[in-house]
Structure formats: structure tokens, C-alpha cells
């Protein structure tokens, strides 16, 4: 059996692919920023918050980390309207990705916080820094430095997981590939191209995060 590949039938639809890439990057950027904020706040709550807040955050972390992302996405998009909350596919995707990343980031950041030497905390206390100042200026920078590779990997995982957002009609990359193959019946070529693009995006986003982290999140410019 002879198979004839026609990648031009897919590449000729580059506007759709470009739109998918932009949506994938946009969803990733927004969810990465908000997810890290949520994760950092949850890490603080689990370490230093009141008991009731630790229980609430702990339940959230365990719930999200032990359920599939697609179920979380469907709950946000299909479940919340039953409670009167109607969301666009794009907004539902962002919310689901932020919730997902926030739970994983919470445990990653918490591990970095737990690794903070007690001497640094004692030095902060001797300088009469408040708890907030100590957390922001003394605890967080070295904590982020320790766990940044793990956070970077988790952001990449969330970006790749955004592929399921096409199931609710978010126009990200996998949605574009599926739309293209439904038009020209070149499924093999369409998803090979999508795979290659996802690989390039992963490499590029990882390189960007490895450049941004040391310069703006911990340690200042080098």
C-alpha cells in the first residue's frame, strides 16, 4: 500500500495554524502568571495560614491534583452554567488552566519555601522585617530559584494540556489541526504538523522561562 503525503494541503492553511499558535501562547501566558500567583498564595496559606485555611487549600490542591484536567475543564464550562455562571470557551479555558496550574504550583513553591534556611529567617527578624516583608523579600526569591526548573516544566505541561480546550471550541492549536483535517481529510499530515509545532513551542517557552526567571523573579539581572 502506497501512502502519499501532502503537507502543503495543511501548510496552506497557515492562517488557521497561526491563530491556533497565538491562542495557545495567549492561554499559556495568562494561566502561567495567574497560576503562579495562585500557587504562591496557596503555598503561603499551607505554611503560615490559619488552620481552617490550610484545610481549605489542602482540599483544593488534592482535588485538582487527583482529577483529570479535561474533567476540570468540562466542570467549569458545562457545570457552572447550571449554577447560572455562563462563560465563553476562552474564559473557561483560562479559568481551568489557572486552577490546574495553581494547585501544582502550590506544592512546588511550598517545597522551595520549606527549604529556606532558618538563618535567613532569623536575620530578617533581627532587621525588624514584617512577616510580609520577610516572605516577599527573604523567602520567595531563593524559593523560586530552587524550584524554577520544576515550575517551568509544569507550565509546559499546562501549555500542552491546553490541547483539550479545543473540545469546548477554544481556537487553540489542536482545534486548528482538527478543523484543517476535517476540511481536507489529511489527518496524518495535520497532526504531524501540530506535533512539530507543539515541540517547537515547548522548546521556545522553556528557553524563555529559563531566561526570564533568573533576571526578574530571583537574583536580579545577571
Amino acid at each position: 500500500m502506497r501512502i502519499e503525503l501532502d503537507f502543503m494541503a495543511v501548510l496552506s492553511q497557515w492562517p488557521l495554524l497561526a491563530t491556533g499558535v497565538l491562542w495557545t501562547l495567549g492561554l499559556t501566558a495568562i494561566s502561567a502568571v495567574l497560576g503562579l500567583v495562585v500557587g504562591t498564595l496557596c503555598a503561603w496559606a499551607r505554611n503560615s495560614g490559619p488552620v481552617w485555611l490550610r484545610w481549605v487549600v489542602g482540599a483544593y490542591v488534592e482535588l485538582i491534583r487527583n482529577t483529570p484536567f479535561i474533567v476540570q475543564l468540562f466542570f467549569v464550562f458545562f457545570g457552572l452554567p447550571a449554577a447560572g455562571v455562563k462563560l465563553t470557551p476562552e474564559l473557561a479555558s483560562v479559568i481551568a488552566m489557572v486552577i490546574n496550574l495553581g494547585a501544582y504550583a502550590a506544592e512546588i513553591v511550598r517545597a522551595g519555601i520549606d527549604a529556606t534556611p532558618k538563618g535567613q529567617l532569623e536575620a530578617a527578624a533581627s532587621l525588624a522585617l514584617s512577616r510580609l516583608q520577610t516572605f516577599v523579600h527573604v523567602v520567595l526569591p531563593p524559593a523560586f530559584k530552587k524550584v524554577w526548573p520544576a515550575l517551568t516544566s509544569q507550565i509546559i505541561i499546562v501549555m500542552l494540556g491546553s490541547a483539550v480546550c479545543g473540545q469546548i471550541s477554544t481556537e487553540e492549536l489542536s482545534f486548528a489541526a482538527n478543523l484543517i483535517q476535517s476540511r481536507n481529510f489529511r489527518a496524518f499530515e495535520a497532526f504531524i504538523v501540530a506535533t512539530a509545532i507543539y515541540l517547537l513551542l515547548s522548546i521556545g517557552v522553556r528557553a524563555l522561562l529559563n531566561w526570564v526567571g533568573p533576571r526578574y523573579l530571583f537574583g536580579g539581572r545577571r
Side-chain angles (χ1 to χ4, degrees):
M1 181 178 179
R2 183 178 179 183
I3 300 177
E4 294 183 1
L5 300 179
D6 184 8
F7 286 99
M8 287 307 302
V10 176
L11 297 176
S12 64
Q13 301 292 318
W14 65 266
L16 281 175
L17 293 172
T19 299
V21 168
L22 290 177
W23 270 109
T24 296
L25 290 175
L27 292 172
T28 302
I30 295 171
S31 63
V33 173
L34 297 181
L36 288 181
V37 172
V38 171
T40 301
L41 293 176
C42 289
W44 173 86
R46 296 202 73 179
N47 271 40
S48 306
V51 175
W52 67 267
L53 185 58
R54 296 183 190 182
W55 278 97
V56 170
V57 173
Y60 153 67
V61 169
E62 292 304 316
L63 175 65
I64 298 303
R65 293 177 70 200
N66 291 284
T67 53
F69 174 65
I70 193 170
V71 173
Q72 299 162 18
L73 177 67
F74 283 179
F75 175 80
V76 172
F77 187 67
F78 297 113
L80 290 184
V85 181
K86 295 183 179 180
L87 303 170
T88 63
E90 295 77 19
L91 183 56
S93 298
V94 168
I95 292 174
M97 290 171 68
V98 169
I99 290 173
N100 185 271
L101 177 58
Y104 283 92
E107 290 302 280
I108 295 172
V109 174
R110 189 161 75 103
I113 292 173
D114 289 341
T116 302
K118 291 184 179 179
Q120 291 186 3
L121 300 179
E122 293 171 354
S126 69
L127 293 173
L129 296 181
S130 67
R131 292 181 63 185
L132 179 60
Q133 289 174 322
T134 299
F135 183 74
V136 172
H137 299 292
V138 177
V139 175
L140 272 187
F144 269 118
K145 185 175 183 179
K146 289 182 178 73
V147 301
W148 190 246
L151 286 174
T152 296
S153 295
Q154 193 59 47
I155 291 172
I156 298 297
I157 290 172
V158 169
M159 181 187 73
L160 298 178
S162 70
V164 304
C165 295
Q167 299 296 315
I168 61 171
S169 299
T170 301
E171 297 180 16
E172 43 72 52
L173 181 56
S174 71
F175 178 89
N178 195 45
L179 181 59
I180 291 171
Q181 69 86 22
S182 71
R183 292 178 175 178
N184 58 23
F185 304 104
R186 292 288 180 176
F188 184 81
E189 293 93 325
F191 289 109
I192 284 291
V193 170
T195 299
I197 294 175
Y198 274 119
L199 177 60
L200 293 175
L201 288 178
S202 297
I203 294 172
V205 170
R206 184 180 299 277
L208 177 63
L209 291 174
N210 287 336
W211 179 81
V212 168
R215 286 163 176 78
Y216 298 104
L217 294 181
F218 48 84
R221 290 180 177 270
R222 292 181 179 178

